[in-house]
Amino acid sequence: MDKIRIGVIGLGQRSGFTKYWHQPNGGRSIVVAGADIDPARLNKFRERVNPDADVTLDYQELLQRKDIDAVVITTPDNEHVKHAVEALNAGKHVYCEKPLAITVEDCDRILDAWQKSGRHFMIGFNMRYMNMYRTMKAIVDSGEIGEVKAVWVRHFVGRGSDYYYHSWHGNSANTTSLLLQKASHDIDIIHYLTGRYTKKVTAFGGLDYFGGNKPNDLTCLECSEKLICPEYRTGPLVQCAFREEIDVEDNSMVLMELEGGIKASYLQCHFTPDYQRNYTIIGTEGRIENSEYEQKVFMKTRTSKTWRELSDRVYEIKKAEGSHNGADPIICEDFLDMILLNKEPVADPLAGRMSVAVGCAAAESMRAGGRVVHVKEPEPWMSGTSPRLMDV
Ligand SMILES: NC(=O)c1ccc[n+]([C@@H]2O[C@H](COP(=O)([O-])OP(=O)(O)OC[C@H]3O[C@@H](n4cnc5c(N)ncnc54)[C@H](O)[C@@H]3O)[C@@H](O)[C@H]2O)c1
């Protein structure tokens, strides 16, 4: 295979990162086509990624093309299952954005199609490729904070109305819950850092600020209250943040018990003034905590009668080029390594399924007054990475 030829389904905001795969001069891949149901997105995609890309309103046309080796899925969450299963059945390698799907059953359908296809599959967990979380993972794996017993995550989603309440994200029919749509990254990072999956959860949450009784078709641009509304936006996303159909919580707190008895908490709020993720990981010999604003990880050690207690340390996170703190160009290369070199991806497909399973369990608990909900266990066949060495 000369270069991996890539087609993209869903040409909205996220699809811009596929430019890292478009390497016509000397690289290992090229983006040749895109599909979207919205005609306005087709030219925009060409402008952002490849002016010569073939574009279509019919994604099946793209899937039928024999000259396309791999498909990238950047459609809304509730569409992932359809596009991923059909792409795998069409014999394509697949990169699917997070969350894998919006129900555990749909995740399992994707994993089943992946196993039967013999093709390569990757989930878009780009946080695993950020230097911040790579550093935290390396510290945990080095044993310097001892055996991990607790993880606390505070997620301040201060631009909540910009991304989540002016568009399809605010309705549970499209996302199930923002504990999948937004937190799927963080639940995954908790699993990644500890090396363990969640067994059971309890959660509380509510729609405490967004949502309301405004008509579903109201937009900021035509709203009579735009001069006084704190959530007035000029675009690109302009659906009213206080409309009736909004039914996903904006203030959620999840407690999790992981394999091995590790305890974790994840707190998400969409009306904070700031945007950041704060992780604390506590082991038997110390703890680490990150600061996204300072781009640092602080390590504190406790009296342990080992050499480690002698030093507390501060890690300065190196700046990396590219979107999402440099993670996007690296995850794109990892996708190519997976296909061309049969390299194990940093996140396996089961990781995608497990973060959805925890998000669904937490949403169920939250909507049942905090009842303890057990996470749906994976089947043994779901483990592992690529099913077999591909002939490329
Ligand atoms: N990993 C990350 O950092 C990251 C960041 C942002 C978004 N995402 C994920 O990317 C996905 C897309 O998010 P977005 O912000 O780009 O949304 P978006 O609404 O901007 O784009 C989605 C696009 O899909 C198109 N679409 C909808 N149904 C379709 C269909 N049946 N066939 C073809 N096209 C269809 C829409 O017209 C739209 O252009 C989501 O799953 C989201 O969770 C991931």
Side-chain angles (χ1 to χ4, degrees):
M1 186 179 291
D2 184 19
K3 277 183 198 286
I4 304 279
R5 294 168 64 85
I6 293 178
V8 183
I9 306 178
L11 309 181
Q13 210 154 312
R14 177 63 179 150
S15 69
F17 91 110
T18 63
K19 69 182 180 194
Y20 297 116
W21 276 306
H22 189 58
Q23 309 164 357
N25 303 315
R28 298 188 294 167
S29 59
I30 176 168
V31 176
V32 294
D36 199 294
I37 49 173
D38 179 353
R41 303 285 190 158
L42 305 182
N43 270 340
K44 192 107 192 116
F45 176 71
R46 279 179 155 159
E47 279 164 27
R48 291 201 293 174
V49 177
N50 174 12
D52 298 324
D54 297 321
V55 286
T56 172
L57 294 169
D58 178 6
Y59 73 93
Q60 279 164 341
E61 210 176 90
L62 184 150
L63 292 183
Q64 280 159 15
R65 279 179 55 166
K66 295 270 178 289
D67 65 330
I68 290 181
D69 310 300
V71 168
V72 175
I73 296 165
T74 43
T75 47
D77 311 355
N78 58 331
E79 298 282 340
H80 291 177
V81 62
K82 177 174 74 183
H83 295 136
V85 168
E86 287 187 39
L88 288 162
N89 288 347
K92 311 299 183 195
H93 305 294
V94 171
Y95 175 104
C96 181
E97 260 311 336
K98 49 54 60 176
L100 185 54
I102 67 166
T103 65
V104 187
E105 292 72 24
D106 281 351
C107 290
D108 292 352
R109 276 182 202 110
I110 295 174
L111 293 191
D112 184 52
W114 161 60
Q115 281 288 328
K116 287 177 177 151
S117 72
R119 298 287 134 177
H120 288 283
F121 185 87
M122 185 184 258
I123 173 79
F125 279 148
N126 49 358
M127 266 183 75
R128 287 196 182 204
Y129 298 79
M130 290 179 188
N131 286 350
M132 172 71 77
Y133 299 97
R134 289 168 140 184
T135 300
M136 292 172 90
K137 172 75 174 154
I139 298 170
V140 169
D141 287 353
S142 74
E144 293 201 37
I145 59 168
E147 204 180 322
V148 172
K149 295 288 183 189
V151 183
W152 304 338
V153 179
R154 295 185 303 158
H155 195 174
F156 306 81
V157 197
R159 290 195 295 265
S161 98
D162 287 6
Y163 296 136
Y164 304 104
Y165 296 94
H166 289 294
S167 65
W168 55 265
H169 299 85
N171 187 265
S172 63
N174 303 322
T175 57
T176 299
S177 159
L178 296 185
L179 292 176
L180 280 78
Q181 160 49 224
K182 190 63 182 159
S184 62
H185 279 306
D186 302 277
I187 293 168
D188 176 61
I189 291 291
I190 291 171
H191 291 163
Y192 183 52
L193 293 176
T194 59
R196 305 294 177 99
Y197 284 130
T198 305
K199 302 288 284 182
K200 58 184 174 182
V201 299
T202 177
F204 288 95
L207 190 52
D208 295 343
Y209 176 73
F210 294 107
N213 56 9
K214 299 285 185 215
N216 287 334
D217 58 0
L218 180 64
T219 66
C220 292
L221 306 176
E222 69 204 15
C223 181
S224 60
E225 295 173 34
K226 63 182 171 194
L227 292 181
I228 52 167
C229 178
E231 305 304 326
Y232 166 70
R233 298 291 187 273
T234 53
L237 305 178
V238 290
Q239 281 185 275
C240 175
F242 300 106
R243 67 191 190 280
E244 268 183 312
E245 68 171 3
I246 288 184
D247 63 351
V248 290
E249 297 78 3
D250 52 21
N251 183 12
S252 326
M253 305 188 180
V254 186
L255 291 179
M256 306 146 76
E257 189 170 281
L258 280 65
E259 294 159 333
I262 296 169
K263 318 292 184 297
S265 62
Y266 171 79
L267 317 180
Q268 179 189 83
C269 184
H270 287 264
F271 44 88
T272 61
D274 49 342
Y275 186 98
Q276 59 166 317
R277 291 174 153 109
N278 175 254
Y279 278 65
T280 299
I281 297 140
I282 305 173
T284 49
E285 295 182 31
R287 76 174 180 93
I288 51 174
E289 179 170 350
N290 73 325
S291 163
E292 286 198 335
Y293 280 136
E294 293 171 85
Q295 284 295 300
K296 286 181 182 165
V297 174
F298 302 92
M299 186 176 85
K300 291 186 183 302
T301 51
R302 67 187 287 272
T303 309
S304 62
K305 296 204 188 305
T306 70
W307 67 268
R308 292 182 192 113
E309 71 188 69
L310 298 176
S311 56
D312 291 344
R313 276 186 231 156
V314 179
Y315 292 78
E316 309 242 357
I317 304 302
K318 292 259 159 59
K319 198 169 160 39
E321 292 303 317
S323 50
H324 286 105
N325 292 330
D328 287 342
I330 310 173
I331 198 170
C332 289
E333 287 304 312
D334 212 29
F335 183 63
L336 300 179
D337 285 346
M338 179 179 72
I339 298 172
L340 292 167
L341 310 176
N342 209 41
K343 176 184 173 289
E344 305 292 351
V346 172
D348 63 349
L350 179 59
R353 187 259 191 209
M354 291 308 294
S355 89
V356 168
V358 176
C360 287
E364 185 183 329
S365 171
M366 193 161 65
R367 291 165 190 172
R371 177 164 61 79
V372 172
V373 177
H374 289 260
V375 175
K376 282 189 187 141
E377 299 267 345
E379 302 283 338
W381 61 264
M382 293 172 180
S383 314
T385 49
S386 303
R388 70 176 96 110
L389 185 65
M390 299 308 307
D391 179 19
V392 286

